[in-house]
Amino acid sequence: MAEHTVLEALRERAHEALFARVAGPSARAVRARIHETPGPRWFGPGRPIRVVHGDASMFVGGLAALLLQSLHPLAMAAVAAHSGYRGDPWGRLQRTSTFLATTTFATADDAERAVTRVREVHEGVRGTAPDGRPYHAADPELLRWVHVAEVSCFLGAHERYGAHPLDPAGADGYVADAARVAEALGATGVPHDRAALDRCLDAYRPALRRTPEALDVARYLLREPPLPAPARLPYAGLVLGAIETLPPWARARLGLRPLSAPGAVVSRAAGRGVTHAIRWALGG
């Protein structure tokens, strides 16, 4: 009994620390608003987007998505100049996770307000990339890239590490659900099934390349994360899982070593282990 009590206390402390880190200092109030406010939702119970976005595999998928998104020079220029990912990395994580939770689980009114706020922010994010090309965060094609990179990585991580991986019909449903959010943000031509998602990601490959900014992001995320020493070991498991989730061509463009067969096994085992640990801590 005493051992069980100690284990539960440990789990509760881990839950509070992890939840506050991801959702911010007002985590409890935000969770209550999102999940307890009555009203219609964009996505009802059982929808694939709820399955994916409510799973601990999102920690792996989110890290993989950041790495993949960095390969687009215009997207990376906007992030480097406007996101504050180095000055306020946890604030950026909290804003992103709150937006995903709101559009997935909150009332339709709350989801629409969240989308409006992001669209207003995107309107002001514009500038010139190091290669001389102008960028604008509200550009529908750039929005499509960010969306496709996220959805591909979220789904790929869920297939590897999700508690209940989707079947092919569920994967198509997830892509279709996510498309609704992307289109509300202003993206056009977004895929609505898994096959279209893969084609769209492949079509971006000629535009993607390794830039100094992309390498800086990779170095920051993989080698210099702003974490206390005790969190470094579990974070290393997330890193290995995220690297294994990336397409081989994306790993190569980021300057990462090719994964050998044993290396892939170790990386997937590490990703699975840390995802299980997060799921235990969050009580899922």
Side-chain angles (χ1 to χ4, degrees):
M1 180 67 71
E3 182 179 346
H4 176 74
T5 302
V6 170
L7 191 62
E8 281 302 304
L10 179 62
R11 190 196 69 80
E12 183 62 26
R13 285 198 296 271
H15 174 98
E16 291 299 324
L18 186 60
F19 190 56
R21 180 69 77 178
V22 173
S26 303
R28 289 185 178 275
V30 170
R31 178 168 56 184
R33 188 199 78 230
I34 289 172
H35 294 282
E36 298 174 16
T37 303
R41 265 68 178 164
W42 278 1
F43 308 104
R47 286 302 308 169
I49 195 170
R50 284 178 164 243
V51 175
V52 174
H53 291 180
D55 190 85
S57 61
M58 286 288 285
F59 285 81
V60 175
L63 182 56
L66 290 174
L67 292 168
L68 183 56
Q69 287 169 352
S70 74
L71 287 171
H72 195 298
L74 298 185
M76 189 60 248
V79 168
H82 299 273
S83 77
Y85 74 92
R86 277 189 177 273
D88 185 24
W90 296 114
R92 183 169 187 258
L93 172 63
Q94 290 155 12
R95 290 188 293 274
T96 300
S97 64
T98 299
F99 176 80
L100 287 169
T102 299
T103 52
T104 303
F105 300 104
T107 64
D109 287 345
D110 206 359
E112 288 164 4
R113 283 191 292 268
V115 165
T116 298
R117 286 193 296 270
V118 171
R119 291 190 71 147
E120 290 171 350
V121 170
H122 284 171
E123 281 299 324
V125 176
R126 60 178 77 222
T128 303
D131 62 11
R133 288 183 294 164
Y135 64 80
H136 185 197
D139 176 3
E141 184 174 347
L142 205 54
L143 287 169
R144 183 169 66 247
W145 161 247
V146 172
H147 168 74
V148 166
E150 284 185 350
V151 170
S152 178
C153 290
F154 293 164
L155 184 55
H158 194 266
E159 289 172 336
R160 291 164 171 79
Y161 308 117
H164 305 287
L166 300 171
D167 61 16
D172 284 344
Y174 171 66
V175 177
D177 287 347
R180 177 175 183 177
V181 181
E183 289 165 347
L185 285 170
T188 58
V190 296
H192 282 252
D193 59 46
R194 179 61 183 275
L197 175 67
D198 292 341
R199 290 194 300 271
C200 192
L201 181 62
D202 193 58
Y204 272 101
R205 287 178 61 177
L208 308 180
R209 63 178 182 271
R210 184 191 318 174
T211 63
E213 293 78 18
L215 292 179
D216 185 61
V217 165
R219 188 180 306 112
Y220 181 70
L221 292 174
L222 303 181
R223 299 180 184 175
E224 306 167 6
L227 291 168
R232 292 297 179 100
L233 183 59
Y235 185 79
L238 286 180
V239 164
L240 290 172
I243 290 173
E244 198 275 332
T245 298
L246 288 170
W249 57 262
R251 293 197 293 265
R253 294 191 191 187
L254 285 166
L256 302 173
R257 294 178 181 176
L259 283 177
S260 64
V265 171
V266 170
S267 294
R268 189 166 292 201
R272 187 176 295 114
V274 74
T275 304
H276 280 318
I278 292 169
R279 191 172 291 121
W280 171 79
L282 294 178

